[in-house]
Structures are given as structure tokens and as C-alpha cells.
């Protein structure tokens, strides 16, 4: 009780890579408008899931593409007509 746990994957995925993966999953082309700054590290946040893995026995077993599909199916099922 009262303890926070990060869950998910420790695999770093940029927003651009995520957008491209979503495009591949649904067969659409993704265009990214913008340029990175040469030599600058991209901003990133990769949560440490060690505590959840060690204390709760959790592990990531769903790959990114499957997670995108599952999330989309869930969201589509949750939408109610107005």
C-alpha cells in the first residue's frame, strides 16, 4: 500500500518511431514535419520497471505492435454513439 510502481516496457521508443509503428500497423503512411537538432540528444523518458519486476514478478510480454492493436480494439469498443 502506498508504493508506486512503473509498469510497461523499458524499451525506448521515440514519438516518431511510435507514430511510424502505428502507421505500419494500420497500413497508413506517416509524415513527420520537423527536424531534429544535429548533435542534440532527443528528449526521452524510459521508466525503470525494476521494482515491479522484482517485487511483483511483472514482466513485459506484449510487443509494441500487439499493444497498439489491443489498445485500438479497446478504444473502438469503448466509443458510444452520441
Amino acid at each position: 500500500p502506498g508504493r508506486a510502481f512503473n509498469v510497461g516496457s523499458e524499451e525506448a521508443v521515440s514519438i516518431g518511431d511510435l507514430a511510424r509503428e502505428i502507421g505500419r500497423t494500420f497500413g497508413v503512411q506517416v509524415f513527420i514535419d520537423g527536424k531534429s537538432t544535429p548533435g542534440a540528444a532527443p528528449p526521452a523518458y524510459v521508466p525503470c520497471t525494476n521494482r515491479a519486476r522484482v517485487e511483483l514478478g511483472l514482466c513485459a510480454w506484449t510487443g509494441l505492435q500487439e499493444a497498439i492493436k489491443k489498445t485500438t480494439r479497446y478504444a473502438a469498443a469503448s466509443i458510444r454513439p452520441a
Side-chain angles (χ1 to χ4, degrees):
R3 303 236 4 210
F5 293 87
N6 291 323
V7 296
S9 170
E10 291 185 6
E11 177 185 349
V13 179
S14 72
I15 295 297
D17 289 342
L18 179 60
R20 285 185 280 276
E21 186 62 36
I22 291 169
R24 278 191 291 278
T25 300
F26 295 101
V28 297
Q29 192 170 10
V30 172
F31 296 95
I32 298 176
D33 186 22
K35 296 179 182 175
S36 59
T37 304
Y45 173 73
V46 180
C48 175
T49 60
N50 188 57
R51 182 186 299 164
R53 190 172 42 257
V54 171
E55 294 182 26
L56 303 177
L58 299 179
C59 63
W61 68 86
T62 303
L64 180 59
Q65 190 174 48
E66 185 60 24
I68 292 167
K69 289 177 183 178
K70 285 182 174 189
T71 301
T72 303
R73 283 193 299 264
Y74 176 81
S78 299
I79 296 173
R80 298 184 183 160

